[in-house]
Amino acid sequence: MQYLVDVRSPAEFQTGHAPGAINFPVEQLAIQLDAGLAMATDDEITVYCAAGGRAGVAKTLLERAGYLHVTNGGGLSNML
């Protein structure tokens, strides 16, 4: 499967997000990983945020957790 993950805060996500995106704030991603995400480690995952910095952190966290196909999509403007 393919996932588009917005790693901004819930408040930022509510102000607008890419179509089909799900929200996993980067600050909570490690907790979500410990709890077990619904995404499989071989799924294709694109992460984005406001400008790309938090997406880079999320990409690293996901890769360290064993996710194989993670792409940093950069900022929201790149996803629209």
Side-chain angles (χ1 to χ4, degrees):
M1 277 193 82
Q2 293 184 328
Y3 291 93
L4 181 58
V5 181
D6 185 321
V7 297
R8 299 175 302 149
S9 71
E12 289 173 297
F13 186 77
Q14 290 298 326
T15 64
H17 54 273
I22 56 175
N23 185 222
F24 285 126
V26 70
E27 297 85 6
Q28 299 172 9
L29 190 56
I31 295 166
Q32 298 275 346
L33 286 167
D34 286 342
L37 293 176
M39 298 179 288
T41 57
D42 62 345
D43 285 336
E44 293 184 22
I45 302 168
T46 299
V47 292
Y48 74 91
C49 58
R54 288 176 283 182
V57 172
K59 180 180 187 298
T60 298
L61 287 171
L62 288 164
E63 289 174 337
R64 286 183 183 165
Y67 288 84
L68 304 172
H69 308 287
V70 184
T71 301
N72 180 344
L76 175 60
S77 62
N78 297 338
M79 300 291 103
L80 299 176

